[in-house]
């Protein structure tokens, strides 16, 4: 299901309702202008929780008294506390937002192909269940801007890693070279989540391809390894 997107100078999603802030930055907010983006979504830079992302399936449980430091090697966070913002940095990988309205729990994950292979999204659902007694059928998910199957060209080894989500590039397009294909990261995550009990109607997608829409978002692949990153933020708003 496609997510509803409000676009101004920042990008905000309203699919989770008014209790949750879900936002991400566009190209106009480079790394050096991150504080400006946070100001526009009313998040204090000092309060934002970030991780040392390492393409893992490691998760951190965050509270106002227990926050990850800059050396915390993980790629996802969750919390049930109001006013505790969680952030993920991406430039092609998938930012995944999670929300359980019944138990008022949020999560966010950075999912590249390595994290998907290690099933970071199902592990987040497991963490919701173990820590907050969430039910899979109640959890909602949104995919933020990421490189899509139209643009994510990979080598033939991915055919074995993701057999259901690898589409071979026609040989006529590359007659002399090695086999290549396209990887559908969104499809792979969705299949994992549905297998884990999420309802398909609770999985929402912005549909944004960072490569196709490189004029609006950073793309490491399209730009040859840029150090700039999109910042995605989720926070339970105080009542």
């Amino acid at each position: 299901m496609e997510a509803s997107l409000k676009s101004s100078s920042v990008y905000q999603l309203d699919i989770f309702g008014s209790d949750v802030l879900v936002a991400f930055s566009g190209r106009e907010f480079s790394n050096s202008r991150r504080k400006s983006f946070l100001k526009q979504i009313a998040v204090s830079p000092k309060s934002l929780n970030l991780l040392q992302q390492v393409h893992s399936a490691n998760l951190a449980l965050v509270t106002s008294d227990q926050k990850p430091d800059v050396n915390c090697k993980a790629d996802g966070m969750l919390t049930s506390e109001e006013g505790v913002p969680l952030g993920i940095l991406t430039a092609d990988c998938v930012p995944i937002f999670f929300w359980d309205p019944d138990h008022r729990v949020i999560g966010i994950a950075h999912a590249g192909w390595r994290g998907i292979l290690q099933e970071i999204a199902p592990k987040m659902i497991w963490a919701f269940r173990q820590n907050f007694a969430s039910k899979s059928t109640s959890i909602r998910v949104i995919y933020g801007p990421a490189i899509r199957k139209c643009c994510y060209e990979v080598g033939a080894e991915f055919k074995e890693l993701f057999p259901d989500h690898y589409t071979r590039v026609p040989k006529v397009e590359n007659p002399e070279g090695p086999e290549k294909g396209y990887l559908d990261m969104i499809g792979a995550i969705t299949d994992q989540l549905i297998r884990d009990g999420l309802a398909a109607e609770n999985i929402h997608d912005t549909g944004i391809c960072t490569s196709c829409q490189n004029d609006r978002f950073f793309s490491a692949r399209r730009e040859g390894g840029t150090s700039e990153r999109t910042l995605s933020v989720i926070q339970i708003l105080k009542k």
Side-chain angles (χ1 to χ4, degrees):
M1 180 177 180
E2 189 168 326
S4 175
L5 181 68
K6 293 181 178 179
S7 173
S8 55
S9 55
V10 302
Y11 298 87
Q12 287 188 248
L13 302 170
D14 59 8
I15 199 72
F16 286 167
S18 59
D19 289 343
V20 187
L21 167 71
V22 178
F24 50 86
S25 60
R27 282 194 75 89
E28 60 269 36
F29 293 103
S30 59
N31 294 342
S32 62
R33 297 194 63 226
R34 196 170 291 161
K35 289 183 179 179
S36 297
F37 166 68
L38 293 171
K39 183 178 180 180
Q40 292 203 36
I41 60 173
V43 170
S44 165
K46 291 183 178 179
S47 69
L48 180 65
N49 294 281
L50 294 172
L51 300 164
Q52 184 180 339
Q53 297 171 199
V54 291
H55 293 279
S56 68
N58 299 334
L59 306 175
L61 180 61
V62 181
T63 69
S64 55
D65 297 322
Q66 180 181 325
K67 297 186 176 183
D69 62 30
V70 293
N71 298 314
C72 180
K73 295 181 179 180
D75 288 85
M77 292 176 280
L78 63 160
T79 188
S80 63
E81 290 198 18
E82 296 179 351
V84 177
L86 311 177
I88 286 293
L89 299 170
T90 60
D92 277 335
C93 295
V94 188
I96 315 174
F97 304 91
F98 301 80
W99 167 237
D100 175 3
D102 293 341
H103 295 83
R104 292 181 60 80
V105 182
I106 56 170
I108 193 167
H110 156 254
W113 70 264
R114 293 177 181 85
I116 298 169
L117 202 61
Q118 298 172 71
E119 302 201 346
I120 189 171
K123 287 179 180 177
M124 180 71 78
I125 303 304
W126 179 88
F128 270 54
R129 292 197 302 253
Q130 289 295 112
N131 291 281
F132 302 104
S134 295
K135 294 182 179 178
S136 297
T137 52
S138 298
I139 298 172
R140 301 179 182 183
V141 164
I142 303 173
Y143 305 131
I147 195 167
R148 306 290 170 138
K149 62 181 179 180
C150 54
C151 298
Y152 191 13
E153 189 175 286
V154 295
E157 67 273 15
F158 282 80
K159 181 165 54 176
E160 293 185 9
L161 297 176
F162 297 94
D164 297 326
H165 301 285
Y166 172 93
T167 303
R168 185 175 180 177
V169 174
K171 198 64 177 175
V172 67
E173 295 182 18
N174 188 32
E176 303 300 328
E179 180 185 330
K180 294 183 179 181
Y182 292 105
L183 178 61
D184 181 7
M185 292 194 292
I186 298 296
I189 298 167
T190 298
D191 281 359
Q192 289 176 350
L193 289 173
I194 290 175
R195 182 205 66 201
D196 216 48
L198 265 72
E201 59 267 26
N202 286 342
I203 301 174
H204 309 275
D205 189 6
T206 60
I208 297 169
C209 176
T210 48
S211 181
C212 289
Q213 299 182 53
N214 188 223
D215 58 327
R216 296 168 59 199
F217 299 97
F218 301 115
S219 170
R221 282 236 164 181
R222 187 71 176 266
E223 298 173 54
T226 178
S227 61
E228 298 289 354
R229 294 291 183 267
T230 292
L231 172 59
S232 297
V233 177
I234 188 168
Q235 176 182 303
I236 305 172
L237 300 174
K238 294 182 178 179
K239 291 185 176 179

